[in-house]
Amino acid sequence: MHWYLGRFGQYALVLLAALSLNFLLPRAMPGSPLRFLAGEDVGMLAPAQVAEIRARYGLDQGLGVQYLTYVRNMATGQWGFSYQLGKPVADAIRDRLPWTLLLVGSSLLIATIFGILVGALAAWRRGRGLDTASLTGAIVVDSLPTFWLGMILVAVFAVELRWLPIYGAMTSWGPRTGLPYVLDVLRHLVLPATTLTLASLSGTFLVMRYAMLDTLGQDYVRTARAKGLRERRVLVKHAVRNAMLPVSTVVFLNLGYLVGGATVVETVFSYPGVGTLLYQAVLNRDYPVLQGAFFILTVSVILANVIADLVYPILDPRVRGSGA
Amino acid sequence: MSAPGVVIPSTAAGTRLPRRRGGTLVSVCFGTPSAVVGTVLLASIVFVALFGTVIAPYDPREVVARPYLAPSAAHWLGTNDIGQDIFSEVLWGTRVSLLIGLIAATAAILVGTLVGVVASLAGGWADQVLMRFTDVVLTLPFLPLAIVLAAFLGPSFWNTALVIALVIWARPARVVRSQGLSICSRTYVEAAHALGGGFVHVLRHHVVPGVIPLALSQFILATSGAILTEASLAFLGLGDPIQKSWGTILYYAQARGAFLNGTWPWWVLPPGLLISATVLGFALVGRSLEGVLMPRLRQHGS
């Protein structure tokens, strides 16, 4: 119980940090915070609109009151207004979030499955060809900039070979219902998801390999072998199942990394998720959207951590009740 | 987390540990095949960073030919969308990318080491406060955080280095703290306390020297992380347009249609390969350094 209190206190701090940063940045910069709260086009707004913005953010009041107003607005979904997009920030993000979840979710799933498989096999065949090759591969792939990997995949598989679409999440004027729509979305998902999977594979792989080496040296594995179980059965039933426990924590911790990776990958593929929204906000100096996107990504990472904390005791009975 | 080929000579490297600095440096750089690869990569990159502006056939800021030219004897990597020489851009960019990485990593390691040793030695509430804060920074999604900070500060060489340092100091702080805690629990530190050694004395003479090898290997990790982060930020349009890094070149390639007009093999491939080679070089040398300075660490990965 004490452990959970500590963890959730930590997440509350992270949330507070993200909120405070978003609050302070526009106000700490030289010049009027209006430029950051309304976007670069503030000069073109009518005086009435400017007065409305000043009132909404309580800019004429003290910083303490402004902060409370700000937190209340964030809590009630009033995340500001993007004059460049012509709609509330929360609406813009709601339109984009499902695509990011699809991209990050599918990449996480594939990277986890492959990471566990390759990690287990590499540890089992330690020091042999597959082990050496996958370790070398992990180091090399980790050295590639994620966005550049995506650019190369686009160049080869979309531009030169023309196997897959170059950009977007669906064909413009393409099918919007039924199986053809699903297939169209999947076709557009292949390259961005492959990029993100490759970029995040090595973390899961390395932890699985290490955990597997550890379990393979345990007494219960030796016992299983000694009582004459076939090697396959020893591996799957005894070694892999136990080695997967530490992996489960890494999977969720990977999410913060994946969210960042998704930002650049979406940009390469013009995939209509939160990452592309963030990129466009950077180009247009659309600060309200920039801050909204950062906030929602922070909340997603916190949620993933909470899920990990709740799931882990279910997977591993040893940490239950121990409070560790 | 051990590179192939690093595993075998661990005992040999372990015996080499005593104060032969020259010998240590040699085994870090050339002790294993992968270390040799890393050293060669880094040496080449540093050479280009130092002399690239002299080797470059053109000033990359000047328009010297028609736009979108294919590679030729006059322009080895062709020209970009406004007719600047890409080969010269890439050579000049080496210095920008490497310098931002090194500056950001230096700042991050100084801050991280300071936070780590102070937290471990002070203990109590100071440790609590510092580590809470460190964990908050570690939990925030670091690339989006860097993007927001960079967008507010505006694109410039120093701002980019500052932003990267701000988002990467936390991991070394955590790592250094745990090493610091282990040092603080040793008997010679207890003895120093008992003999009346103050906070600063113990910090300077026992904790800091003890964490330096670790801080050094963290520095190499941080540099490769910083170079990758700089590339991502620049690719998202947050690089200094006056001092183009490799990432900035890639940003323009993506924005100005290098894929649609078939210029990507000489516009997109070279800068990305150089980023990868640099990061790989730091990773390989970093692993080798870890193995030589801290032989015990090696057993974890192998």
Side-chain angles (χ1 to χ4, degrees):
Chain A
M1 201 54 219
H2 178 253
W3 182 72
Y4 276 117
L5 279 181
R7 298 292 290 180
F8 289 117
Q10 178 67 29
Y11 300 141
L13 275 182
V14 175
L15 199 63
L16 193 70
L19 279 173
S20 308
L21 196 73
N22 271 350
F23 173 79
L24 285 174
L25 275 177
R27 290 165 177 84
M29 291 295 137
S32 163
L34 267 180
R35 180 160 76 88
F36 298 107
L37 295 173
E40 205 86 305
D41 297 337
V42 66
M44 289 163 9
L45 297 176
Q49 277 176 306
V50 174
E52 195 263 328
I53 298 166
R54 295 191 76 88
R56 181 171 348 125
Y57 293 99
L59 287 186
D60 303 318
Q61 286 153 309
L63 271 184
V65 180
Q66 283 186 42
Y67 190 65
L68 289 179
T69 313
Y70 173 74
V71 172
R72 196 178 58 229
N73 283 345
M74 291 303 287
T76 52
Q78 293 169 290
W79 291 10
F81 192 87
S82 165
Y83 289 89
Q84 252 128 27
L85 300 174
K87 54 178 160 185
V89 172
D91 288 4
I93 288 174
R94 188 161 2 101
D95 296 345
R96 302 297 195 97
L97 199 56
W99 293 112
T100 298
L101 291 179
L102 178 67
L103 175 61
V104 170
S106 53
S107 308
L108 188 67
L109 186 72
I110 305 168
T112 307
I113 294 173
F114 269 91
I116 288 175
L117 275 178
V118 182
L121 284 175
W124 182 44
R125 293 271 180 232
R126 176 179 176 186
R128 311 263 192 94
L130 175 75
D131 190 27
T132 315
S134 50
L135 274 173
T136 313
I139 296 168
V140 172
V141 172
D142 271 350
S143 305
L144 308 178
T146 308
F147 67 89
W148 183 73
L149 182 63
M151 291 172 100
I152 298 306
L153 292 180
V154 170
V156 174
F157 293 102
V159 175
E160 300 299 329
L161 296 172
R162 293 168 187 273
W163 289 353
L164 291 158
I166 296 178
Y167 70 94
M170 56 178 106
T171 313
S172 336
W173 321 115
R176 287 290 179 275
T177 49
L179 192 62
Y181 176 55
V182 174
L183 288 178
D184 188 43
V185 168
L186 285 180
R187 260 169 51 80
H188 283 82
L189 185 62
V190 172
L191 283 182
T194 305
T195 311
L196 202 51
T197 301
L198 284 172
S200 57
L201 193 59
S202 71
T204 313
F205 159 72
L206 289 170
V207 172
M208 181 64 195
R209 178 178 173 277
Y210 178 50
M212 185 76 179
L213 286 176
D214 190 47
T215 52
L216 282 175
Q218 296 286 332
D219 288 340
Y220 55 79
V221 170
R222 198 181 317 147
T223 311
R225 278 191 179 133
K227 67 184 180 185
L229 289 185
R230 275 177 303 137
E231 187 67 16
R232 233 183 110 94
R233 198 175 160 79
V234 174
L235 276 179
V236 176
K237 286 275 174 189
H238 293 78
V240 172
R241 285 183 70 171
N242 284 300
M244 276 166 64
L245 287 173
V247 173
S248 64
T249 44
V250 182
V251 166
F252 286 100
L253 294 181
N254 244 339
L255 225 107
Y257 175 76
L258 271 176
V259 159
T263 306
V264 287
V265 172
E266 283 179 11
T267 303
V268 172
F269 292 91
S270 302
Y271 205 75
V274 180
T276 311
L277 190 69
L278 193 64
Y279 170 66
Q280 287 158 347
V282 167
L283 290 190
N284 299 328
R285 299 289 180 256
D286 190 353
Y287 298 99
V289 170
L290 197 65
Q291 298 199 305
F294 170 63
F295 185 72
I296 194 73
L297 293 175
T298 305
V299 171
S300 319
V301 170
I302 293 177
L303 283 179
N305 275 287
V306 171
I307 294 173
D309 289 344
L310 296 176
V311 165
Y312 198 61
I314 299 174
L315 294 178
D316 190 352
R318 284 170 302 182
V319 299
R320 251 180 254 161
S322 70
Chain B
M1 294 263 291
S2 155
V6 177
V7 183
I8 307 106
S10 69
T11 46
T15 55
R16 234 177 270 152
L17 196 60
R19 299 175 195 283
R20 282 174 46 217
R21 296 218 170 159
T24 308
L25 186 65
V26 167
S27 57
V28 167
C29 295
F30 304 105
T32 63
S34 60
V36 174
V37 173
T39 307
V40 170
L41 285 176
L42 282 190
S44 327
I45 295 293
V46 168
F47 179 81
V48 175
L50 288 175
F51 302 109
T53 52
V54 185
I55 308 167
Y58 302 94
D59 185 332
R61 295 162 299 189
E62 278 175 23
V63 174
V64 289
R66 285 190 298 121
Y68 298 119
L69 283 182
S72 64
H75 304 281
W76 290 5
L77 296 177
T79 56
N80 68 8
D81 57 305
I82 53 171
Q84 294 163 327
D85 183 60
I86 296 177
F87 181 62
S88 304
E89 271 193 321
V90 170
L91 289 181
W92 282 53
T94 307
R95 186 180 293 178
V96 180
S97 293
L98 200 63
L99 265 184
I100 293 186
L102 288 171
I103 292 169
T106 307
I109 290 303
L110 287 178
V111 173
T113 306
L114 189 69
V115 169
V117 292
V118 168
S120 65
L121 185 58
W125 64 266
D127 182 28
Q128 281 287 324
V129 170
L130 286 173
M131 283 306 111
R132 285 300 95 174
F133 186 60
T134 306
D135 285 345
V136 166
V137 177
L138 276 176
T139 315
L140 288 169
F142 97 104
L143 192 59
L145 174 64
I147 293 169
V148 169
L149 291 174
F152 270 93
L153 289 174
S156 83
F157 180 92
W158 288 103
N159 281 352
T160 306
L162 173 69
V163 165
I164 296 171
L166 282 175
V167 298
I168 62 170
W169 64 269
R171 191 166 302 280
R174 263 266 166 227
V175 176
V176 166
R177 173 185 171 266
S178 53
Q179 173 87 356
L181 281 181
S182 128
I183 292 170
C184 290
S185 68
R186 290 185 196 155
T187 39
Y188 65 84
V189 176
E190 278 176 36
H193 278 302
L195 289 168
F199 185 86
V200 176
H201 173 86
V202 176
L203 194 75
R204 275 185 53 193
H205 292 272
H206 298 291
V207 186
V208 170
V211 299
I212 276 180
L214 186 68
L216 210 60
S217 75
Q218 285 291 312
F219 169 72
I220 289 180
L221 263 180
T223 309
S224 62
I227 289 172
L228 280 176
T229 311
E230 189 280 329
S232 295
L233 287 176
F235 175 70
L236 294 172
L238 288 163
D240 188 336
I242 311 298
Q243 286 175 288
K244 280 189 199 166
S245 68
W246 291 325
T248 324
I249 299 171
L250 291 169
Y251 163 74
Y252 282 108
Q254 167 92 7
R256 304 291 153 78
F259 294 112
L260 303 177
N261 56 28
T263 55
W264 68 269
W266 52 88
W267 200 357
V268 174
L269 274 184
L273 284 175
L274 283 171
I275 299 172
S276 312
T278 313
V279 174
L280 186 65
F282 276 109
L284 294 176
V285 172
R287 276 153 203 272
S288 177
L289 180 76
E290 261 176 19
V292 171
L293 293 179
M294 293 161 284
R296 264 183 308 159
L297 263 185
R298 217 176 240 169
Q299 288 150 16
H300 282 291
S302 51

